[in-house]
Amino acid sequence: MMWGLIERLALIAAAAPAALFLALGVCALARYALSEKTVGLMTRGTFFVTFLCNLTVAVLMAAQDRNLVVISLGDWFHLPGYRFTVELLLDRLSVPFVLFSQALIGVVGAFANRYVHREQGFNRFFTLLALFATGMNLIILAGGIEIAFAGWELVGLSSALLIAFFHDRRLAVENGFRALVVYRVCDAGFLVAAVLIRHWAGSGDFIHLFGDVAWPGGASPLAGGRATLIMVLLVVAVMGKCAQVPFSGWLPRAMEGPTPSSAIFYGALSVHAGVYLLLRFAPLLSETHVAAALLAAVALVTAIVATTVGRVQTDIKSSLAFASLTQVSIILIEVAAGFYWLAIAHTLGHMCVRSLQFLRAPSLLHDVHNVENAIGGHFAATGEHYRRMLAKPVQRGLYRFALERAHLDTALDTFVVGPFVRLFGTFDRIEQRIASRLDGTPRESSPRDRSAGSGR
Amino acid sequence: MTFFAPWIVILVIASLVGAVVAHLRRSRSRFVVMVVNSVALAVSTLAAVDLWQRSAHHDPFESIRIFVVDDMNAPLLVFAALVSFFVALVAPVRKWKPGSATRMLVAEAILFAGFAVSNEVAFVALWIASYLPFDRELGQSDCRSGCRRGFRIGAIASSGLLVVGLLANRWMPSADSVLPGSIAILLAAMIRQGVVPFQSWLPHLFARAPLPSVLMLCVPQWGTWAALRLFVPDAPPILLSILGAFASFTAVYGAGLALVQKDARRAFGWLFVSETAIVFASLSGTSETGLAGGLLLWLSSGLSLAGLGMALCALEARRGRLSLEGFSGGLESTPRLAGSFLLLGLCSVGFPGTLGFIGTELLIDGSLGTHPQLAIAMVIATVLNGLAVVNMYFRLFCGRRTIANPAIGLRPREYAGFVALVVILSILGLWPRGIVATRVRAAKTAQAIPPVVTAVEPREPTS
């Protein structure tokens, strides 16, 4: 197989973060402790090379007026009637996204080199960052839905583990698990959609699905109810990753992680991964009005909720998280309305601005105090005109609503988690009773019961 | 393709000789077990490679063959040898009772023979025999083994039903006998695999019995093997559908229960029930792709669950009984054990990049056309199992500040075992062509096995 310069550079850029993850992972497994300086150099070097390669690819594709480059890496495996090919897709959608995403990860990596300096999990942070970069590469460059799903899962896992980065804090761990629950539940939609696409269309490759034409052109062989079902399932997956209502509660909780990871996950990339997925499926989305309407409705509600809740947050990272959520929701509305190019521009701009805001957040308060000391007073309050527009009772109601974060977590706990735990708790008691009957022994107590019983 | 080779005889004899030596030299029992397991691993791998390289049917000992190596069991023999090797390598030797090594090797010999024996009567005898070393082990264990009665009830019921099923198929020369015989064999397999409504005894066993012994008994999946060999070829479609329905329900039920447990062992037990039910469900008349996916999951989830179980065992040896009610912390003291636990857990639930991902993908895709309810159950079970694994990881290793104590970290022997398993599962997940090809051939072989009753002339209707 003969590859040109574009293909070779794109492959280097795609493989570099995976190689970094592998190198850091193997060193960790082999108990070889790398110094902070070495890890920092490896990370910066990797993302610098990635950025240069991606930039060159973008320039070359623009100069040669090539809108679509498919890099086929052959079959991963195959069996009769089932062929799993590995392809990377470079087009007008993936190239800008991969260029910006890897550049931002590099910037955040450089920032984090100092931020997590002398933290116990220094190497763990960069290993997970490399895993995340690999996952993002897979989502963006995937030539088929299964590879995109693999990347989607890697992003979800790295996200949850980084939220729980400070693993000795109970709250961080609980919040990491909560984020993972939302991811996994919504990812089921993605998995089912991927399998259905392969089942109905015969292949999960985007070229097969949408034709050998430049994005966002192309027509899908799927139509009618099948197309709608697939897009609805993908919208469910996107709702989890983009923290749309009713799954928004995990996003502010995710701020428990280190600030650099908050910047890259919830300011920049992870929270926009859903936007990218829907843009990739634009040819199908444009034909399924039900899914587009559902997406627009959910995103509109989320935007209103997020902007309302964001106004009463008392810490800067939560405030930024809700601001980010508001913008992501607006971008999703743009996607649902078919303004794809606008959505791309909005996404790339928002990724950069929000990352900067997150990275600036730890030192901002210090700077604000300095400025206020210099000017001899507080900054003027903003948003007073909203307050004047609303009656006092409405203000109070909205304040309570916002303070409780729209009761979203409470609703999920009450109507989904609670019944699930109660149902399976009942099953568990029945199971233990049956097992005790079989053995003719008293029901087994939990370890804590016993230790409490023994007076310890 | 099948052939007789001395491989299986070598495997069985080596295990039995090892058992005798271990019985005589008790002071160095782990050494003996490891030597025998190394030989078993090498021989089973040679058998699989030998089979793979044969391009045509070649069986010079057709008339005398007792054991066969074919596409279905060749990778399973390697799998069984690998599981045995790993369990013996990692198991804390101070918890071994007198005779544990001997029983472990006898159990291995029975397992190898059970996977390779071609005669149904001999298979049933081996099935019954496979319970005996474990029952003896339970008899020597500490007070926590209050699960012996339940185990015996399950063992006797499943063995009795298997014998009844075999008798019905053999000595009732009527086409009508397919149904009662098949039902009996299916019930026997369901009991052994802990499929609803016969599930209660298995997690209880995981919670109370010595974990290495339970893993040796359950990970190879005797029930699934019996169903594949004795039930699937003869089974009427209605029974296959029943198998699929019950196994799918078990997969979801077990996954849900794994998520709400407050005891780590019970959570692992339910995780095991759910994962093995997914494999069992793949026998329910799915397409060739679905069956190949199920057979692939058999290997991947078996290996990773063995690893996960032993990680739990290693942690228990350091901390005592493990609760999931709160957060235990301790990642600083056992970072490599925590990493191994998480990686093996992710392998067991089919995380991308591992062998289980491919198996899950194939099984869901293959069952979508014929059994959509099975595909939906697989997705739900996969989601819940993934959450159960991460929940266990967080609660066992995170969420609490503890003082680092490097003295309780993994020993090199244990760590080497965990790393080897993770590397094997990852390499097979990234380069899966060979293993997928063997499973496709196995699926073809399984679907081509002639039903036992085809050899029986239907009885003439009496006037």
Side-chain angles (χ1 to χ4, degrees):
Chain A
M1 191 179 296
M2 290 297 292
W3 280 325
L5 184 60
I6 291 178
E7 286 87 346
R8 285 168 197 263
L9 290 174
L11 277 175
I12 292 171
L20 176 65
F21 169 69
L22 209 62
L24 294 177
V26 167
C27 286
L29 281 176
R31 305 194 203 195
Y32 183 76
L34 292 168
S35 69
E36 286 192 4
K37 194 176 172 186
T38 310
V39 173
L41 271 176
M42 285 168 72
T43 308
R44 285 201 296 275
T46 300
F47 288 106
F48 183 67
V49 168
T50 307
F51 174 71
L52 279 186
C53 290
N54 282 327
L55 187 65
T56 313
V57 166
V59 170
L60 284 176
M61 282 183 70
Q64 296 174 8
D65 200 20
R66 293 175 71 179
N67 287 328
L68 179 65
V69 175
V70 181
I71 306 172
S72 180
L73 301 173
D75 289 349
W76 190 15
F77 62 91
H78 57 83
L79 36 87
Y82 191 103
R83 184 170 288 273
F84 200 121
T85 52
V86 180
E87 283 179 349
L88 302 183
L89 211 59
L90 299 173
D91 62 3
R92 295 186 293 190
L93 176 64
S94 61
V95 169
F97 265 92
V98 80
L99 179 63
F100 272 76
S101 66
Q102 298 300 316
L104 282 172
I105 294 173
V107 169
V108 167
F111 180 86
N113 201 29
R114 287 171 189 273
Y115 191 89
V116 291
H117 170 57
R118 301 190 76 173
E119 282 285 349
Q120 210 172 26
F122 184 91
N123 289 9
R124 180 160 45 94
F125 179 89
F126 284 98
T127 308
L128 290 173
L129 190 70
L131 180 68
F132 168 68
T134 308
M136 281 309 297
N137 260 345
L138 288 178
I139 293 175
I140 295 171
L141 295 174
I145 190 164
E146 290 97 345
I147 300 290
F149 176 73
W152 192 265
E153 291 278 278
L154 293 182
V155 167
L157 180 72
S158 53
S159 168
L161 292 179
L162 275 174
I163 295 170
F165 176 76
F166 300 110
H167 56 79
D168 51 0
R169 295 184 197 163
R170 184 184 175 127
L171 197 60
V173 174
E174 283 177 343
N175 289 343
F177 185 65
R178 193 169 187 109
L180 190 75
V181 170
V182 173
Y183 282 159
R184 290 286 295 183
V185 169
C186 295
D187 289 358
F190 198 154
L191 179 59
V192 175
V195 174
L196 283 177
I197 285 175
R198 177 172 282 280
H199 193 71
W200 285 333
S203 170
D205 298 343
F206 295 135
I207 292 292
H208 177 87
L209 273 176
F210 304 128
D212 196 0
V213 293
W215 184 89
S220 167
L222 299 167
R226 290 181 170 185
T228 303
L229 177 60
I230 285 168
M231 283 315 302
V232 168
L233 288 167
L234 289 177
V235 167
V236 170
V238 169
M239 284 167 66
K241 206 63 115 200
C242 293
Q244 298 296 292
V245 168
F247 305 115
S248 310
W250 68 264
L251 190 61
R253 291 168 180 267
M255 298 303 130
E256 282 291 332
T259 296
S261 69
S262 302
I264 198 65
F265 280 83
Y266 317 113
L269 301 178
S270 175
V271 81
H272 288 101
V275 175
Y276 180 84
L277 183 71
L278 291 175
L279 286 172
R280 176 54 72 201
F281 277 84
L284 201 58
L285 182 66
S286 59
E287 292 175 13
T288 51
H289 301 299
V290 174
L294 174 70
L295 175 67
V298 168
L300 182 64
V301 172
T302 308
I304 293 168
V305 167
T307 193
T308 310
V309 175
R311 281 165 204 287
V312 303
Q313 299 306 307
T314 51
D315 70 292
I316 191 163
K317 281 178 78 178
S318 297
S319 188
L320 283 173
F322 281 106
S324 182
L325 184 54
T326 310
Q327 289 302 313
V328 170
S329 304
I330 293 170
I331 294 169
L332 287 174
I333 294 171
E334 291 163 4
V335 173
F339 299 125
Y340 302 134
W341 292 107
L342 175 63
I344 291 179
H346 194 164
T347 303
L348 297 180
H350 182 236
M351 274 161 42
C352 295
V353 170
R354 201 63 73 188
S355 298
L356 176 67
Q357 287 181 336
F358 267 107
L359 294 182
R360 185 81 175 83
S363 55
L364 183 70
L365 292 177
H366 182 71
D367 291 354
V368 166
H369 288 314
N370 281 343
V371 173
E372 285 185 339
N373 284 340
I375 63 175
H378 291 297
F379 287 117
T382 58
E384 288 298 315
H385 56 289
Y386 288 119
R387 204 173 282 178
R388 284 194 292 273
M389 285 162 61
L390 299 171
K392 281 283 177 195
V394 178
Q395 279 185 30
R396 275 198 297 273
L398 270 179
Y399 182 71
R400 183 67 192 269
F401 172 81
L403 212 55
E404 295 287 341
R405 293 181 175 170
H407 303 280
L408 291 174
D409 279 356
T410 315
L412 281 179
D413 287 347
T414 309
F415 298 114
V416 182
V417 179
F420 177 89
V421 171
R422 278 196 295 278
L423 178 69
F424 279 94
T426 308
F427 287 149
D428 186 43
R429 282 191 292 280
I430 295 169
E431 289 293 341
Q432 294 208 29
R433 210 166 294 150
I434 295 171
S436 303
R437 285 273 170 85
L438 281 174
D439 280 334
T441 54
R443 191 167 75 88
E444 192 175 1
S445 58
S446 69
R448 179 169 289 185
D449 293 343
R450 267 205 314 284
S451 61
S454 62
R456 280 187 290 160
Chain B
M1 182 171 64
T2 66
F3 71 97
F4 172 84
W7 307 122
I8 308 302
V9 178
I10 295 172
L11 275 176
V12 175
I13 289 177
S15 303
L16 291 175
V17 169
V20 173
V21 174
H23 184 70
L24 296 174
R25 302 186 62 177
R26 289 183 181 183
S27 60
R28 303 186 67 190
S29 51
R30 192 205 289 273
F31 176 74
V32 175
V33 173
M34 291 312 299
V35 168
V36 171
N37 280 329
S38 304
V39 170
L41 194 54
V43 171
S44 58
T45 307
L46 280 174
V49 172
D50 191 6
L51 177 76
W52 186 252
Q53 287 178 341
R54 285 168 192 251
S55 56
H57 183 86
H58 173 68
D59 190 353
F61 304 101
E62 180 78 37
S63 57
I64 59 162
R65 70 182 185 190
I66 304 166
F67 299 122
V68 293
V69 180
D70 62 13
D71 292 315
M72 281 202 292
N73 67 9
L76 286 176
L77 290 166
V78 183
F79 160 72
L82 197 56
V83 169
S84 308
F85 182 89
F86 173 73
V87 170
L89 181 70
V90 178
V93 77
R94 68 182 172 80
K95 291 206 169 185
W96 288 18
K97 306 292 172 204
S100 284
T102 308
R103 286 189 288 276
M104 190 182 281
L105 289 171
V106 169
E108 275 182 54
I110 295 168
L111 177 61
F112 290 133
F115 272 152
V117 74
S118 60
N119 184 285
E120 290 161 2
V121 177
F123 175 77
V124 174
L126 288 165
W127 166 292
I128 296 165
S130 69
Y131 282 121
L132 302 178
F134 184 75
D135 183 65
R136 186 98 178 109
E137 187 73 23
L138 278 186
Q140 295 222 336
S141 295
D142 56 17
C143 57
R144 200 196 278 178
S145 303
C147 52
R148 198 175 186 188
R149 201 177 92 171
F151 164 72
R152 282 181 168 176
I153 292 171
I156 291 168
S158 69
S159 302
L161 282 164
L162 196 65
V163 171
V164 168
L166 193 69
L167 292 178
N169 277 347
R170 284 202 151 215
W171 289 335
M172 292 170 65
S174 159
D176 299 338
S177 70
V178 170
L179 202 57
S182 295
I183 288 173
I185 293 170
L186 174 62
L187 289 175
M190 284 170 71
I191 291 173
R192 182 126 196 191
Q193 286 306 121
V195 173
V196 171
F198 311 110
Q199 76 288 0
S200 302
W201 71 280
L202 199 53
H204 197 57
L205 203 64
F206 274 96
R208 294 195 168 195
L211 211 42
S213 306
V214 186
L215 290 172
M216 289 287 290
L217 179 78
C218 299
V219 166
Q221 300 197 39
W222 278 85
T224 309
W225 181 243
L228 189 64
R229 282 288 199 195
L230 303 178
F231 169 74
V232 171
D234 292 339
I238 181 73
L239 284 188
L240 287 173
S241 300
I242 289 171
L243 180 156
F246 278 95
S248 306
F249 180 78
T250 307
V252 177
Y253 183 73
L257 279 165
L259 201 49
V260 300
Q261 293 303 312
K262 291 172 180 163
D263 177 66
R265 273 188 175 227
R266 281 188 70 83
F268 177 70
W270 283 113
L271 185 70
F272 185 89
V273 166
S274 174
E275 291 286 333
T276 50
I278 292 175
V279 178
F280 198 65
S282 71
L283 307 182
S284 64
T286 58
S287 63
E288 191 180 291
T289 307
L291 184 55
L295 296 177
L296 201 60
L297 273 179
W298 190 339
L299 304 180
S300 67
S301 66
L303 281 177
S304 43
L305 283 170
L308 192 65
M310 290 314 296
L312 213 55
C313 190
L315 188 63
E316 206 174 50
R318 286 157 175 79
R319 291 194 199 163
R321 197 152 181 216
L322 304 168
S323 167
L324 298 178
E325 278 186 289
F327 290 90
S328 306
L331 188 65
E332 305 89 353
S333 303
T334 52
R336 287 172 185 88
L337 180 54
S340 305
F341 185 92
L342 182 63
L343 288 173
L344 288 164
L346 293 174
C347 289
S348 75
V349 296
F351 199 73
T354 67
L355 190 58
F357 177 66
I358 298 162
T360 308
E361 180 92 11
L362 289 177
L363 178 54
I364 295 174
D365 186 79
S367 54
L368 206 59
T370 51
H371 297 74
Q373 79 284 359
L374 173 61
I376 292 167
M378 296 305 103
V379 172
I380 297 171
T382 305
V383 167
L384 295 178
N385 283 336
L387 291 177
V389 163
V390 179
N391 183 40
M392 284 168 76
Y393 167 75
F394 278 153
R395 287 180 181 273
L396 291 175
F397 295 101
C398 305
R400 199 166 137 193
R401 189 179 295 275
T402 54
I403 299 164
N405 179 9
I408 62 167
L410 279 182
R411 293 181 177 191
R413 168 179 49 78
E414 296 170 314
Y415 188 52
F418 289 124
V419 170
L421 265 194
V422 170
V423 169
I424 288 170
L425 288 164
S426 302
I427 287 177
L428 287 176
L430 292 173
W431 289 278
R433 282 193 201 178
I435 190 80
V436 169
T438 67
R439 299 298 76 198
V440 172
R441 280 166 58 167
K444 280 182 181 161
T445 308
Q447 291 181 335
I449 292 175
V452 175
V453 286
T454 50
V456 178
E457 290 292 324
R459 197 186 325 187
E460 290 293 322
T462 52
S463 55

